[in-house]
Amino acid sequence: MPSVISASSAPSPLDSSLHETLGSVGHGGRASLIERRDGVDFYFNEYWTARQRQAHALHEVSYRACFKPQLPAFFIERLTKPGALVYDPFMGRGTTPIQAALMGRAAIGNDINPLSVLLARPRLAPPAIEAVAGRLAHLSWQAEPPDEDDELLVFFHPQTLREIKALRAYLIAREAAGRLDAVDDWIRMVAMGRLTGHSPGFLSAYSMPPNQAVSVISQRRINAQRGQIPPRRITADLILRKSKALLKDGVPATGANGRLLSRSADHTPEIETGSVDLVVTSPPFLDVVDYAGDNWLRSWFAGLDTHAIPIAHHRKAGDWSRFIGAVFAELGRIVRPGGHVAFEVGEVRGGRVALETLVLDALVGAPFKPLAVVVNAQTFTKTANCWGVSNNAKGTNSNRIVLARRV
């Protein structure tokens, strides 16, 4: 049985200031519970808010299985100083590099899916809203009318689909000619995020949330169940409205210090040895999320071949652990001695697979010392069995962050 000890008496390999922070009263108003398991302290608390849309507006781009900006902000604030280099090898929508830039740090993001670069890059150095409005006003929005059997008509009104295809053709041609600029880059990012969703703020008829594009067959079924026909949406208006919402809180002062890569996380030769101060990341969780399938419509719009993207899908825990071990070997090269890794995993397969244990196993032989497992367990919206709170929901019920230091 793991031992349960008080925050005040727990010896810890953590710096005393960080141990005090983790053990003190958290966002939820209760002191941390600490359990020692196999020599590693597990800290349980609500370390940041469970409320939605409490972070900087630039983060409001949907992506499947992304973590809240408060998670990287928590570790960036406590483990780095302004100007430090923060890295995420599995950046997804770019939460960590964007938050790092917003906090005055240099940032590197990487993801094997090139779609991630398209979602993150424009928000590191956004254009002025006046430039976006001007470009949208001068674009030609008329493409050939869609054929009656065009499958995308299950999502979009015919005129809206004409506008979407006109914008897509313009962006692909601009990129092929080497003329795609920061304004185009921004418009493409916003358009991808507005393709399908479940409110009038999206270009489609009512559909699944925007982080999970359903298949044509599934959307046809949704339309039939709801008795709906895709309504007319004005593409330029929705893109401009969303642009204003994303930019309402300002832009990063250090966007020029951001670099983005599209590589396998275990091989990033562009990153200098010993240059990274902090890694905050969350890898794919076994075979839980189909990143390529969920983003098929965004990939179509961007002209990417979804099936050619070698995104890792590990069904067996041993295969996943070996993959994570290879990633930590590369992190051992690029993280400076004394630097840190905050490696977030969630609960999968109903909690039967403890991914944090697999991460700790993967650290064996790597040049990292495990310091703690930080469990951000949010009452009612997250599982916190140690306090007798459980929502009995499937999927990720808590943020479980393995914190390690480069030795």
Side-chain angles (χ1 to χ4, degrees), residues 294-337:
D294 289 342
N295 289 291
W296 73 268
L297 197 53
R298 292 178 176 184
S299 296
W300 164 79
F301 183 82
L304 300 175
D305 182 359
T306 303
H307 300 290
I309 301 170
I311 299 173
H313 286 282
H314 300 287
R315 294 185 177 276
K316 297 180 179 179
D319 293 339
W320 187 85
S321 186
R322 281 187 287 274
F323 168 65
I324 297 303
V327 172
F328 267 106
E330 176 67 347
L331 295 181
R333 180 186 69 81
I334 65 176
V335 176
R336 65 168 178 81

Side-chain angles (χ1 to χ4, degrees), residues 87-145:
Y87 172 53
D88 187 345
F90 304 100
M91 70 174 173
R93 65 174 180 173
T95 305
T96 293
I98 290 168
Q99 185 61 38
L102 287 168
M103 297 175 71
R105 276 66 169 173
I108 301 179
N110 174 69
D111 202 291
I112 197 168
N113 189 346
L115 188 67
S116 292
V117 173
L118 304 188
L119 291 174
R121 182 175 59 204
R123 290 178 291 140
L124 281 172
I129 191 63
E130 294 79 10
V132 175
R135 184 67 50 84
L136 290 170
H138 288 91
L139 288 177
S140 172
W141 293 97
Q142 294 300 315
E144 290 295 320

Side-chain angles (χ1 to χ4, degrees), residues 63-68 71-72 87-93 95-96 110-111 265 279-286 289 291 320 323-324 327 331 341-348 355 359 396 398-402:
Y63 195 77
R64 188 81 185 279
C66 58
F67 49 51
K68 289 178 179 292
L71 189 156
Y87 172 53
D88 187 345
F90 304 100
M91 70 174 173
R93 65 174 180 173
T95 305
T96 293
N110 174 69
D111 202 291
V279 173
V280 185
T281 193
S282 182
F285 298 163
L286 294 174
V289 177
Y291 291 94
W320 187 85
F323 168 65
I324 297 303
V327 172
L331 295 181
V341 173
F343 206 83
E344 192 268 348
V345 294
E347 295 173 357
V348 299
L355 292 181
V359 174
T396 301
S398 62
N399 300 115
R400 312 174 79 84
I401 303 102
V402 177

Side-chain angles (χ1 to χ4, degrees), residues 200-221:
F202 295 91
L203 294 167
S204 70
Y206 182 96
S207 186
M208 291 286 285
N211 60 5
Q212 189 176 5
V214 300
S215 68
V216 169
I217 293 174
S218 295
Q219 185 61 38
R220 191 173 287 126
R221 186 180 304 119

Side-chain angles (χ1 to χ4, degrees), residues 56-59 98 102 122-127 186 243-253:
H56 195 284
L58 269 177
H59 288 295
I98 290 168
L102 287 168
R123 290 178 291 140
L124 281 172
W186 176 271
S243 295
K244 290 178 179 178
L246 288 170
L247 295 171
K248 68 180 182 179
D249 292 338
V251 301

Side-chain angles (χ1 to χ4, degrees), residues 133 136-137 139-142 155-167 187 190-191 194-195 199-205 230-243:
L136 290 170
L139 288 177
S140 172
W141 293 97
Q142 294 300 315
F155 296 102
F156 309 110
H157 184 279
Q159 185 58 33
T160 303
L161 182 55
R162 290 182 71 180
E163 293 173 355
I164 292 170
K165 287 190 170 183
L167 180 58
I187 290 172
V190 177
R194 296 288 96 185
L195 286 174
S199 78
F202 295 91
L203 294 167
S204 70
R232 175 74 170 108
R233 313 286 197 203
I234 309 299
T235 306
D237 289 353
L238 289 187
I239 291 174
L240 184 59
R241 188 188 315 161
K242 180 62 176 179
S243 295

